[in-house]
C-alpha cells in the first residue's frame, strides 16, 4: 500500500477492525517515511458470471429490483425486499467463492422468496426456470402444497 502523502511504497498496519456487516476490513496505517497516518478499507468482490460469459460484481440492488417485479401487487414492503437481498448475498458469500454463476444467484433467491410470498415465488420461478406452460406451473404449485403438508412444515407453523 502506497502512502497517499509521500507515495512511499511501504506502510505499516497500526490497527485492524472488521466492519459491522463482516464484509470489509478497516485498517489504520502509518508511513515510516513521513510518519503520517491514513485509513484503508478492504472489501472482497463477489463476481457473477453471466450467461454471456461476462463477469460483473454482485449487486444486491439488482436482486431486489428483480424480486420487486415478482412482488408487484403483493403485500410485501421494502424492508422485506432489503432483508431478502441481504439473505441472498450472505448465502452466496458464505460459500467462500470469489465467483458464482448467475444461475446460482437465481437459486439463492428462490428459497427466501418462497418463504416470503408463494405467489411472488411462482412469478419469479416462472421466469427464472423458463416455465413452458401450465404443466410447469402445476408442478411448482404441487411442490408448494407438498411442502406445506409435510410434518416438518406443520411443526414450524404451530411453534
Amino acid at each position: 500500500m502506497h502512502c497517499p502523502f509521500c507515495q512511499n511504497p511501504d506502510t505499516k498496519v497500526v490497527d485492524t477492525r472488521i466492519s459491522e456487516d463482516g464484509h470489509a476490513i478497516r485498517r489504520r496505517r502509518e508511513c515510516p517515511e513521513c510518519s503520517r497516518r491514513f485509513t484503508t478499507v478492504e472489501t472482497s468482490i463477489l463476481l457473477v458470471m453471466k450467461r454471456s460469459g461476462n463477469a460483473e460484481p454482485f449487486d444486491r440492488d439488482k436482486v431486489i429490483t428483480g424480486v420487486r417485479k415478482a412482488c408487484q401487487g403483493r403485500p410485501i414492503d421494502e424492508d422485506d425486499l432489503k432483508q431478502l437481498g441481504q439473505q441472498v448475498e450472505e448465502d452466496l458469500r458464505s460459500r467462500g467463492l470469489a465467483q458464482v454463476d448467475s444461475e446460482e444467484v437465481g437459486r439463492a433467491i428462490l428459497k427466501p422468496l418462497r418463504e416470503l410470498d408463494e405467489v411472488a415465488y411462482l412469478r419469479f420461478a416462472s421466469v427464472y426456470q423458463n416455465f413452458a406452460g401450465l404443466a410447469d406451473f402445476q408442478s411448482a404449485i404441487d411442490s408448494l402444497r407438498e411442502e406445506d403438508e409435510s410434518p416438518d412444515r406443520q411443526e414450524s407453523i404451530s411453534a
Side-chain angles (χ1 to χ4, degrees):
M1 171 60 59
H2 285 72
C3 173
F5 305 107
C6 71
Q7 304 306 314
N8 180 31
D10 184 32
T11 58
K12 180 174 85 174
V13 175
V14 178
D15 184 39
T16 300
R17 296 184 187 197
I18 297 174
S19 67
E20 289 180 22
D21 65 2
H23 297 298
I25 298 174
R26 179 184 168 276
R27 297 190 196 277
R28 284 294 290 161
R29 295 177 180 269
E30 183 176 357
C31 176
E33 192 69 30
C34 68
S35 299
R36 294 182 75 182
R37 289 186 175 197
F38 59 99
T39 301
T40 59
V41 178
E42 301 171 19
T43 60
S44 63
I45 296 175
L46 177 62
L47 292 177
V48 177
M49 283 299 293
K50 308 296 272 183
R51 289 184 188 129
S52 65
N54 294 335
E56 63 181 50
F58 175 83
D59 184 356
R60 187 187 302 183
D61 291 333
K62 282 181 87 170
V63 169
I64 293 169
T65 300
V67 172
R68 185 180 287 122
K69 292 175 185 172
C71 296
Q72 198 167 5
R74 302 296 303 157
I76 298 168
D77 62 26
E78 197 62 28
D79 288 340
D80 292 334
L81 293 177
K82 287 179 182 177
Q83 187 174 7
L84 184 138
Q86 182 176 347
Q87 283 179 299
V88 170
E89 184 173 0
E90 288 174 358
D91 177 23
L92 294 171
R93 286 188 183 276
S94 72
R95 299 175 190 190
L97 302 172
Q99 181 174 306
V100 295
D101 292 331
S102 58
E103 291 83 18
E104 285 295 314
V105 176
R107 280 195 286 273
I109 291 170
L110 286 173
K111 185 175 186 245
L113 184 56
R114 186 177 192 167
E115 293 169 1
L116 182 63
D117 187 271
E118 291 175 340
V119 172
Y121 165 81
L122 284 172
R123 288 176 178 170
F124 186 87
S126 71
V127 174
Y128 169 71
Q129 296 174 340
N130 295 321
F131 284 12
L134 291 176
D136 292 334
F137 275 98
Q138 189 61 53
S139 175
I141 290 168
D142 291 343
S143 175
L144 285 169
R145 283 190 178 135
E146 287 173 14
E147 185 178 299
D148 282 346
E149 295 170 359
S150 73
D152 293 340
R153 173 86 174 167
Q154 293 298 323
E155 287 176 19
S156 66
I157 292 172
S158 62

